[in-house]
Amino acid sequence: INVNHVGAPKQWYGVPGASSSKFEDVVRKFLSQTIKKIPDLLHHMNTQFSPSLLRAADVPVYQLRQNPGEFVVTFPQAFHGGFSYGFNVGEAVNFANTQWIKHAHVANERYRRVGRLAVLSHDRLMFTLLHHLGDLDRDSARRLFEELIRLVHEELVLRPRLYTLGVRDVSTLINLPPNRTDIIDNESSDYDDKRVCCVCQHTCFLSAVACHCSQSQVACLRHHQYMCRCQPSNKYLLAWMHDDQLETQLRNFQGEVQRCSSDVSPREAAIAAHLPHGAIALAGSA
């Protein structure tokens, strides 16, 4: 949300989130070499396209003039840009209401695809919201539990695969400080910054793969094979929640999805039945 406090008007151009894919196609067409060097270019604030180029490619572009005292709100996946007509004083802040939960997974996956570090851990945020269920409506609570089921289920699927490849399970040998999920504070954020995947920049919240060749580098379960050239037997899994704890969480979350749904749809029933639809994005398919 952006407010123009005082001064000259500000000109805005915006592309709605429903047309974000078309917008990105145009950017990749004109800036293909730059994107190869800067994969997360679309998330930077140093590139602007002429609306005429976008309109010529059938990308809808909307404009407005923001006068002093007026607010402008941008929505998920909507691209925007503009300029000021002169000196002014503006203020902007990112915020999310409960309806944003349905966009959380999409935003997180987009960041992982381009290796962009998130402002805060998506996984931590989802688990922290469990302590604020009273602030969520039924639909938002159901979406939260669906996302938590996906996170836990991915762990339970990928961990055994890594063990099969030769990655060692040291859960009985190493006791890690537990994740504090009741609050997101500076201490928690500093802890998360020390366990960011070296490949996709995702915070390894539930588990991480480490290797004896490095004392600081870790990788998420999806990208462990890209962290170094060492054999899998030289790598080991660090787990902040053991498998039995995750299985208990999964059963609880499945029960909450059913409780939140008075009329359980086929999709929700599939989720409650161990996700046979495969809502897991593995390495290379995100």
Side-chain angles (χ1 to χ4, degrees):
I1 183 170
N2 182 293
V3 59
N4 185 350
H5 286 290
V6 65
K10 182 177 179 180
Q11 182 69 34
W12 287 76
Y13 297 97
V15 175
S19 301
S20 60
S21 295
K22 286 186 176 181
F23 175 86
E24 293 175 12
D25 289 341
V26 175
V27 174
R28 292 189 180 97
K29 176 182 177 181
F30 285 94
L31 299 176
S32 57
Q33 295 302 317
T34 305
I35 288 181
K36 288 181 180 179
K37 298 178 182 178
I38 311 174
D40 63 340
L41 178 68
L42 285 165
H43 298 282
H44 289 196
M45 299 179 65
N46 57 0
T47 304
Q48 186 160 314
F49 264 76
S50 169
S52 60
L53 285 176
L54 298 173
R55 293 295 296 273
D58 197 31
V59 177
V61 181
Y62 298 87
Q63 64 171 318
L64 65 85
R65 180 179 294 193
Q66 181 188 18
N67 296 307
E70 294 179 345
F71 293 84
V72 172
V73 178
T74 57
F75 289 88
Q77 291 187 261
F79 287 95
H80 59 277
F83 59 89
S84 295
Y85 285 95
F87 179 81
N88 55 21
V89 179
E91 181 180 1
V93 64
N94 294 322
F95 74 98
N97 58 21
T98 58
Q99 297 300 313
W100 183 81
I101 293 175
K102 63 183 179 182
H103 302 284
H105 170 63
V106 175
N108 186 57
E109 292 300 321
R110 287 171 63 85
Y111 270 37
R112 296 186 75 171
R113 282 199 298 268
V114 298
R116 182 175 177 82
L117 182 66
V119 177
L120 53 85
S121 167
H122 165 77
D123 298 11
R124 176 180 292 281
L125 177 59
M126 294 298 104
F127 277 92
T128 301
L129 284 175
L130 282 173
H131 298 273
H132 302 274
L133 289 177
D135 299 326
L136 305 181
D137 56 50
R138 186 174 64 178
D139 181 65
S140 297
R142 186 178 71 250
R143 291 182 184 276
L144 171 62
F145 285 119
E146 289 176 357
E147 178 63 7
L148 288 168
I149 287 174
R150 187 195 66 80
L151 293 174
V152 172
H153 191 266
E154 180 172 333
E155 288 283 326
L156 292 175
V157 168
L158 292 185
R159 287 184 185 185
R161 293 185 186 179
L162 267 63
Y163 298 147
T164 301
L165 293 174
V167 176
R168 292 182 293 121
D169 178 9
V170 295
S171 58
T172 59
L173 304 176
I174 300 177
N175 290 319
L176 298 170
N179 285 321
R180 181 182 177 186
T181 60
D182 59 327
I183 191 173
I184 301 179
D185 55 9
N186 289 334
E187 183 179 354
S188 299
S189 297
D190 290 341
Y191 189 21
D192 291 343
D193 289 344
K194 294 179 176 63
R195 45 177 174 162
V196 173
C197 175
C198 61
V199 180
C200 69
Q201 299 297 297
H202 179 69
T203 301
C204 300
F205 186 69
L206 294 175
S207 64
V209 177
C211 183
H212 287 294
C213 71
S214 174
Q215 295 296 317
S216 59
Q217 186 170 268
V218 297
C220 68
L221 303 193
R222 297 185 192 178
H223 302 121
H224 68 95
Q225 68 270 39
Y226 303 115
M227 67 182 298
C228 62
R229 296 185 178 182
C230 298
Q231 294 296 319
S233 58
N234 203 44
K235 301 175 182 178
Y236 51 95
L237 182 71
L238 301 171
W240 280 268
M241 289 185 67
H242 299 314
D243 290 2
D244 56 344
Q245 295 174 306
L246 291 175
E247 290 171 355
T248 299
Q249 289 274 33
L250 182 62
R251 289 192 294 269
N252 292 339
F253 295 155
Q254 289 169 343
E256 290 298 330
V257 168
Q258 293 177 323
R259 187 183 65 81
C260 291
S261 306
S262 55
D263 298 318
V264 180
S265 68
R267 176 171 176 269
E268 291 163 350
I271 291 175
H274 304 289
L275 295 173
H277 290 176
I280 303 173
L282 302 180
S285 64

